[in-house]
Amino acid sequence: ILGFSTPPGRLSMMAFVLNALTCALGLLYFIRRGKQCLDFTVTVHFFHLLGCWIYNSHFPITLTWWLVHIVCTALMAVIGEYLCMRIELKEIPLNSAPKSNV
């Protein structure tokens, strides 16, 4: 079903890309560590590969399937790391004012 020439194929690929973007936001909220984003991304896509293999009863061999998943893995990892690094690199507020009013 994945293909560049048919409208359903393009729509399916667009859904995979949008899923990668929303999963990058999920990495931001659940993982919160830039170093772990690539590990979780590869793990999620590996489990998706296993699920597709079991569901279809054969290993996916089409080039477009692999290209779409490689691009989605890269998008999810890079955007997830970028978002997590922005949170990690925020300044820590150092307040030197006294905590109690005398």
Side-chain angles (χ1 to χ4, degrees), residues 13-58:
M13 284 190 275
M14 182 70 85
F16 277 110
V17 170
L18 290 175
N19 184 37
L21 298 176
T22 57
C23 286
L25 289 174
L27 290 174
L28 172 65
Y29 290 110
F30 294 113
I31 307 305
R32 294 192 177 267
R33 297 280 307 187
K35 290 183 178 182
Q36 295 176 346
C37 285
L38 181 62
D39 296 336
F40 280 93
T41 300
V42 171
T43 302
V44 165
H45 281 85
F46 177 72
F47 284 138
H48 182 259
L49 169 69
L50 289 179
C52 288
W53 193 357
I54 291 169
Y55 181 77
N56 293 325
S57 301
H58 63 85

Side-chain angles (χ1 to χ4, degrees), residues 80-95:
E81 281 187 35
Y82 173 75
L83 293 173
C84 289
M85 292 301 283
R86 285 188 60 188
I87 299 295
E88 287 179 359
L89 295 176
K90 277 187 177 178
E91 291 183 16
I92 299 172
L94 298 175
N95 193 359

